[in-house]
Amino acid sequence: MLKWLRPDHVVQFVTQIDVEELRDRGIRGLLLDLDNTLVAWNSHELEESVHLWLEWAQACDLSLCLVSNAKPGRIQRAIDPLDIPFVALARKPMLKGFRRAMKLLGTEPKQTAMIGDQVFTDVLGANLLGLHTILIELPQLPEQWWMKGTRRLERWVLRRQKAAALKALD
């Protein structure tokens, strides 16, 4: 079970991801979560660095699509100036939202990366389809009260994975 929860890469901020490296690995499409990935939870303001990173990804011929469990209006307010397609109310980790996004981009799973902040939605769903997964492991930020237990469980899963990887190196 833990293998489905294991991201291929972990970074603190989306802007740390080298889109040229992804492109060189054969990635042609990026599926992006919204909250705590591109914008802070409950915000619709893209930071300038994130805006520039998205433009860099597009300049590297990567197709972008937001895949979020948020409502359409919330997503639209955040990405309006960027003209990026999106799948709202995706019900991640259910696979339908991921598949709809890949269809919009015209990519296959091996050509697609999912970038998000949640192990049990973004990473799990994308791994089940065989996508490349990148987890945004943010420092503690304010978010919904009910996410505290989920985040604790995610940290436990990630610690176990790190310990297993270190043990395998011995």
Side-chain angles (χ1 to χ4, degrees), residues 67-93:
V67 181
S68 176
N69 290 341
K71 295 178 181 176
R74 166 141 173 57
I75 299 170
Q76 190 64 50
R77 282 191 303 278
I79 64 166
D80 192 37
L82 299 173
D83 194 33
I84 296 173
F86 63 87
V87 175
L89 301 170
R91 299 180 60 206
K92 297 178 290 181

Side-chain angles (χ1 to χ4, degrees), residues 2 49 92:
L2 284 180
S49 61
K92 297 178 290 181

